[in-house]
Amino acid sequence: MSRSPVRDLLVGVFVLIGFAALAYLSLAVGGLSRQGPGGFLLTADFDELGGLKTRAPVVISGVKVGQVRSIGLGDDYRAHVTLDLDPRLKLPKDTSASIVTAGLLGDRYISLQLGGEQDELKSGDAIAFTESAVLLERLLGKLVHTTDTGSDAGKSE
């Protein structure tokens, strides 16, 4: 069978398209975006992150409005989280941030609940009202401890 330059070219183009699609999917699954940073930066301090990671989504009413830019330990030994949000947002100063879980055992993300104050947060401001992650392990431990304590109280009579 003889080699055909047209067939070789088509196979080469097909392979290149396959590699480009694979690279695009890898970047999309990895969470990288080409839109760049939002530019509206807010900070929030939490007692417990519960596995929150950088690039985790920040949502308002279930709509993604930004992502977690960085996580560090603050001077007060609380988790210091920087949020990179859509610059078009107008958030009241009494907005609160909660770390919640997608589903029962899903990934953690930050949910913002809007307040009613007239003054707005500016880039670089801190969210004053935060609610840390609820850890399923701690809840189960408290339940087991309460159950054990309750059963021991009944046996002492």
Side-chain angles (χ1 to χ4, degrees), residues 134-146:
V134 176
L135 297 178
L136 186 60
E137 298 85 10
R138 285 192 187 164
L139 287 176
L140 290 175
K142 287 181 182 179
L143 177 67
V144 168
H145 178 69
T146 304

Side-chain angles (χ1 to χ4, degrees), residues 34-52:
R34 50 190 171 87
Q35 65 188 7
F40 182 44
L41 299 178
L42 294 177
T43 60
D45 293 328
F46 296 94
D47 293 326
E48 178 65 53
L49 292 180
L52 183 75

Side-chain angles (χ1 to χ4, degrees), residues 77-140:
Y77 296 104
R78 295 179 72 203
H80 186 74
V81 180
T82 303
L83 310 176
D84 190 2
L85 305 174
D86 185 342
R88 298 173 293 178
L89 290 176
K90 306 283 188 224
L91 301 176
K93 280 206 181 266
D94 59 345
T95 296
S96 64
S98 304
I99 299 176
V100 293
T101 306
L104 186 59
L105 298 173
D107 288 336
R108 306 273 182 176
Y109 64 94
I110 294 184
S111 176
L112 298 179
Q113 293 82 30
L114 303 180
E117 198 168 314
Q118 294 295 329
D119 294 334
E120 296 175 352
L121 290 168
K122 297 174 188 63
S123 187
D125 285 350
I127 297 176
F129 308 106
T130 60
E131 183 180 351
S132 297
V134 176
L135 297 178
L136 186 60
E137 298 85 10
R138 285 192 187 164
L139 287 176
L140 290 175

